[in-house]
Amino acid sequence: MAPEGVIIGGWSYVIAAYVLVGVVLAAYAAHLIARTRSLDARRRRSDDRAETSVGDS
Amino acid sequence: MKKMHAFGLVGLALIIVGSIYGLTASPPERHMGDVSRILYVHVPTAWNCLLIYLFAFGFAIASLWTGKQRWDIATTAAIETGVVLNILLLGTGMIFAKPTWGIWWDWDVRLTTSLIALIFYAAILALRTFIDDPNRRATLTAVTCIISFVDVPLIYFGVRWWRSLHQIQSSPETMAETMVFPMRVNAFAVLFISIWFMLLRARIERSKLESDEVVEPPVRRAMATA
Amino acid sequence: MSRPGLARQSLAILGKDLALEWRNRARVVAVVLFGVLVLLLFSLAFGDKGTQVLQVTAGGCLVIALFLSSTLSLQESFRTEDHDDALEGLLLLPTEPASIFYGKALANTFFLVALAPVLIPVTTLIYQVSLGPTQVLQIAGLWLAAAAGLAAPGTLYAGLTTRLKSQDVLMPLLLFPLEVPVLLATVKAFGLVFDGDPMGQLSSWTQLIVAFDVIYWCLCGVLFRFVVEEAA
């Protein structure tokens, strides 16, 4: 790499970086929301079943 | 419940504004050209990754000190969010390294340090899945988290003595205002998104622990304070 | 009746662990043999590249042999306490938990240092490096410092993962990233001893290892209390 020269182009790298950030953040967010939903659903089901037995804290 | 999603929405809005500004309005840097635009996502993730690990360190101390479950939940949430940012930091760093240094990877101070930090914190998350007793799991998480956080600066200095190639950080004074702006906006964007992640993750951990509790009530930690 | 101080208590634990280990010498021999085996495997992996390559890699291979052997050695340090709730018995004694840590960490340091008289001569033979008397002393001192740096977090993590199903997987996973600063500094220092030290950098690397030792021994000693209270 010439020290004086400007790096020309490189837009593919820029786009790759932004896409990476977007995809990872979106994937993790989707994962979290999916797990929240499934846990909520399971808790609602077990609450319905154990309405009378277990006292709430 | 709905309130926590506000963090995500604000973060999303900010990252869209910051990224569009960074990709279009901000001028290319003198030497690095357009490639410097990677820094508008790379540097904010790096800052926030460190910040989140600092949070995790604080939560871990609180968890060890009080023995309260909510601090363990907070520690776990922070560690996992930190790991996600750490992966992004390494990924964008490598993408930045290729056009500027000519190589994807170098055993440079910060690359090495952040890779080892990632292994550290991912190992803590792995460790948690092996332990069934919630009290013991909380202690192990807190202890390993504290040690890891203390060790990261040691690695940094160890590797810096070992070798160095990474460019010196720029301070806002040496940067043009048009370049500072997207960096700052994205830094806040990632911070808000990280807080949202932590809140969501903490909520998952809490309901997981609660569903465990129905099966077997945990022994309250009496010995820890004795 | 006055209680003995932290140092006396630690030494008592150290004596206990050394006595136990002495009655079961076969394991120490196995760990030493494993270290030799690692050195041999590395020399086989690099040996066909010529003696120069072997000489250059000698320091690094020696440190890796120490690291790999240490996991075998460290994991055992709490296994003896698993039987009959021995750890609980130790904690019920009027001792500081920190003294258990320092006693065990000293014992582990001792076991790791015990590898040196075998591994260092083997290295000089297989890797064809020649050491003068001063260099042997330098290596011995560095070995002691590196062993101490491994033993403190190693003891803490051994206590942390004791009685877990997958201790043998988790120990290296937790310990090795932590040891990276010690690894880098020791490899550099060994290299300087083996290849000569024209710039006089050896002392600064030694100081770095000692600084890591001090930090690890203090931090792990403080944290150990929480670990055993949960494990017992």
Side-chain angles (χ1 to χ4, degrees), chain B residues 20-181:
Chain B
I20 289 175
Y21 190 94
L23 286 173
T24 57
S26 160
E29 207 257 356
R30 191 145 36 94
H31 294 298
M32 293 184 286
D34 291 319
V35 176
S36 66
R37 298 178 199 280
I38 295 173
L39 293 179
Y40 302 143
V41 284
H42 173 66
V43 176
T45 45
W47 284 341
N48 280 294
C49 183
L50 259 180
L51 184 68
I52 301 298
Y53 282 150
L54 180 67
F55 284 170
F57 176 65
F59 295 154
I61 289 177
S63 165
L64 211 53
W65 200 259
T66 63
K68 292 250 167 59
Q69 201 168 52
R70 80 174 95 105
W71 292 116
D72 178 48
I73 292 170
T75 312
T76 313
I79 290 174
E80 202 173 296
T81 308
V83 164
V84 171
L85 292 182
N86 205 331
I87 292 169
L88 281 180
L89 148 69
L90 277 174
T92 53
M94 282 166 72
I95 293 172
F96 184 65
K98 181 63 184 161
T100 51
W101 297 344
I103 39 175
W104 290 105
W105 184 263
D106 184 80
W107 291 105
D108 139 85
V109 186
R110 289 190 228 171
L111 279 178
T112 312
T113 309
S114 41
L115 177 65
I116 296 167
L118 176 64
I119 296 173
F120 262 142
Y121 287 99
I124 299 175
L125 293 177
L127 176 74
R128 282 182 68 86
T129 62
F130 282 102
I131 308 165
D132 299 325
D133 173 23
N135 293 335
R136 196 150 174 230
R137 188 169 53 210
T139 313
L140 297 195
T141 311
V143 167
T144 46
C145 183
I146 290 169
I147 291 191
S148 304
F149 190 79
V150 173
D151 204 52
V152 167
L154 297 185
I155 297 170
Y156 184 83
F157 288 113
V159 183
R160 192 162 80 172
W161 282 32
W162 190 52
R163 70 174 306 194
S164 185
L165 187 73
H166 204 293
Q167 49 269 74
I168 304 159
Q169 308 98 304
S170 320
S171 65
E173 290 84 63
T174 65
M175 284 166 65
E177 189 55 39
T178 46
M179 295 186 181
V180 174
F181 176 74

Side-chain angles (χ1 to χ4, degrees), chain B residues 64 116 119-120 123 127 130-132 135-136 139-140 143-144 147 150-151 154-155 159 161-162 221 223-224, chain C residues 156-157 160 162 164 166 170 173-174 177-178 180-181 184 188 204-205 212 215-216 219 223 226 229-231:
Chain B
L64 211 53
I116 296 167
I119 296 173
F120 262 142
L127 176 74
F130 282 102
I131 308 165
D132 299 325
N135 293 335
R136 196 150 174 230
T139 313
L140 297 195
V143 167
T144 46
I147 291 191
V150 173
D151 204 52
L154 297 185
I155 297 170
V159 183
W161 282 32
W162 190 52
R221 212 190 302 188
M223 284 189 76
Chain C
L156 182 76
Y157 281 167
L160 211 68
T162 182
L164 290 183
S166 37
L170 287 172
L173 191 64
L174 289 169
L178 191 71
V180 164
L184 292 179
K188 272 278 184 196
S204 57
W205 286 106
F212 292 146
I215 294 171
Y216 289 150
L219 182 67
L223 290 175
F226 299 100
E229 273 160 358
E230 284 302 331

